[in-house]
Amino acid sequence: MTTDDRTDGKRTPSGQQDLVPIHAVRARAYTIPTDAPEADGTLEWNATTIIVVEIDAGGKTGLGYTYTDACAARLIQDTLASQLVGRDAMDIEGLWQRLYRHVRNLGRAGIASTAISAIDAALWDVKALLLDLPLARLLGAVRDRVPVYGSGGFTTYSDGRMREQLRLWKDHGCRWFKIKVGRDPERDLERIRVARRAIGEAGLFVDANGAFHAKAALHYARRYAEQGVAWFEEPVSSDDTDGLRMLKHQGPAGMDIAAGEYGYTAADFRHLLQADAVDVLQADASRCGGITGFLKTAALCEALQVPLSAHCAPALHLHAACAVRPLAHQEWFHDHVRIEDMLFDGAPRVRDGTIAPDWSRPGCGLAFKRLDAAPYAIS
């Protein structure tokens, strides 16, 4: 039977196990205000939108989500759900391929890929629930806990607020800390010194969100290195692979160049890796095709011996992060940590600088707090 054939839950002529048809797909957008104005090197915002997807199959409901524009919920409801209902919930790879074929003329990257990412996460959750396994066990866990780095330090923060945030993560045992740079480069130099004093000898990361051109980025990389900055994320746009490669090879020794959070397809990651443009590849399961896309990206990293870092959405990544060998760490991003704790029962907590699944709970271990989310729903 091909993945294009609808199923009715009956045994197939070839004697396969009963299939598990998908009965319903739901998607809703919620916009959560930030707890203070936020900005990085190239963008300002005061709210974050999350799309929550639920998939019913075999008496279970799988949960997935993504951070993107609210229009992704309409895309799921009006266009993508019809490609899922009636088909086998256990055939995740087949459904993943089917969804990406279906959006060919819409464009696979961007909104379409974030929508598919949320669906894919919900499919993995429902499959693990049907098998009564924690998702990490189903995927094949290679570690029990995932190291995280504290991430925030927005350019809108006062020095005092940034110190407070960094010290909280330090109290939680984090070994690495990341702040935003690029809005005011000369002021950033003092902010980096403030951060260094707050965290002591721990690892200090900076993220410019593509704010610089290559020569300026190289100049500031050398100045950041004086404060022991060990990671420079998106010093230039992720589209500038030549600039990234130049920084990787000409930048200060001991400073990793990282990019990849805006990778949507396998080709995006292959391009960065083939160009020898990064020391560490980032991937975001809420953008790159969900758990399935994240696993495929991890396989590329493993083959090429490049470390992988999971970008944002820690609760979404947690189980997959336990199952991929090249993982270096998971971003503990302030906005998403706050939202996931608000909206999902079972959201992870940091202990000794790591997060871990609840191994007693099947699936992704999350339950949607529908009543808590209701005030933020977009009609």
Side-chain angles (χ1 to χ4, degrees):
M1 178 174 286
T2 69
T3 55
D4 286 349
D5 294 326
R6 290 197 178 255
T7 65
D8 58 6
K10 298 179 181 178
R11 189 175 298 276
T12 66
S14 62
Q16 291 176 274
Q17 292 287 322
D18 284 354
L19 305 180
V20 185
I22 294 170
H23 292 296
V25 178
R26 296 179 297 280
R28 191 76 185 269
Y30 302 86
T31 294
I32 317 296
T34 58
D35 56 4
E38 295 177 355
D40 56 32
T42 55
L43 192 66
E44 301 174 2
W45 64 96
N46 57 20
T48 300
T49 297
I50 183 173
I51 310 298
V52 177
V53 173
E54 295 174 295
I55 294 179
D56 298 337
K60 303 293 185 181
T61 298
L63 175 70
Y65 61 94
T66 183
Y67 295 99
T68 189
D69 191 82
C71 68
R74 288 288 303 274
L75 177 63
I76 294 167
Q77 290 284 159
D78 297 349
T79 301
L80 300 180
S82 65
Q83 301 300 305
L84 300 169
V85 174
R87 294 183 169 83
D88 184 13
M90 306 296 272
D91 181 23
I92 295 177
E93 177 67 23
L95 294 172
W96 192 87
Q97 297 286 353
R98 181 181 184 85
L99 291 170
Y100 274 104
R101 286 196 301 271
H102 193 68
V103 300
R104 184 196 68 185
N105 290 350
L106 300 180
R108 293 186 176 96
I111 295 295
S113 191
T114 61
I116 292 172
S117 297
I119 291 170
D120 181 83
L123 287 169
W124 277 107
D125 187 33
V126 79
K127 183 172 184 174
L129 290 169
L130 289 163
L131 295 172
D132 196 29
L133 288 171
L135 178 55
R137 296 285 185 231
L138 175 60
L139 297 174
V142 297
R143 61 181 63 83
D144 293 330
R145 305 187 68 85
V146 175
V148 300
Y149 68 85
S151 173
F154 303 109
T155 59
T156 45
Y157 279 2
S158 67
D159 290 350
R161 177 153 192 161
M162 184 173 68
R163 272 193 299 267
E164 180 182 357
Q165 188 179 66
L166 293 168
R167 286 170 179 167
L168 174 64
W169 293 327
K170 189 176 181 181
D171 289 344
H172 289 165
C174 289
R175 291 179 285 161
W176 311 281
F177 306 82
K178 188 172 82 179
I179 68 170
K180 300 291 189 179
V181 297
R183 176 74 51 169
D184 183 346
E186 291 304 313
R187 178 173 176 265
D188 287 337
L189 296 169
E190 176 56 28
R191 294 176 63 248
I192 289 170
R193 285 189 283 269
V194 170
R196 171 53 70 201
R197 290 192 292 269
I199 67 173
E201 297 301 314
L204 180 56
F205 298 175
V206 298
D207 180 2
N209 291 95
F212 298 115
H213 296 297
K215 284 189 176 181
L218 182 59
H219 167 74
Y220 284 108
R222 290 167 176 164
R223 298 190 71 180
Y224 298 162
E226 296 169 2
Q227 298 299 321
V229 171
W231 158 294
F232 197 173
E233 181 177 332
E234 282 201 313
V236 297
S237 167
S238 291
D239 296 328
D240 183 5
T241 50
D242 290 338
L244 288 169
R245 182 173 56 247
M246 183 270 282
L247 285 155
K248 177 187 173 185
H249 291 283
Q250 297 184 31
M255 178 183 286
D256 286 336
I257 300 301
E261 67 183 77
Y262 296 112
Y264 292 100
T265 68
D268 293 332
F269 299 113
R270 177 172 54 83
H271 185 57
L272 283 170
L273 292 169
Q274 286 183 334
D276 193 23
V278 293
D279 294 295
V280 181
L281 185 72
Q282 295 174 282
D284 188 328
S286 76
R287 294 172 178 166
C288 72
I291 304 301
T292 299
F294 188 79
L295 296 177
K296 292 175 185 287
T297 305
L300 285 174
C301 288
E302 185 168 8
L304 296 173
Q305 299 185 341
V306 174
L308 173 68
S309 182
H311 175 264
C312 290
L316 184 75
H317 285 99
L318 176 55
H319 287 256
C322 283
V324 295
R325 292 188 183 278
L327 187 90
H329 37 51
Q330 161 72 57
E331 183 169 11
W332 189 249
F333 181 56
H334 171 73
D335 286 0
H336 294 179
V337 169
R338 177 172 167 265
I339 290 170
E340 290 165 10
D341 190 56
M342 290 172 63
L343 301 189
F344 303 123
D345 177 60
R349 304 291 176 90
V350 177
R351 181 168 64 84
D352 297 329
T354 65
I355 56 176
D358 182 342
W359 298 101
S360 70
R361 299 175 72 154
C364 67
L366 300 177
F368 185 39
K369 300 178 186 177
R370 202 175 309 278
L371 292 178
D372 291 347
Y376 305 105
I378 299 174
S379 57

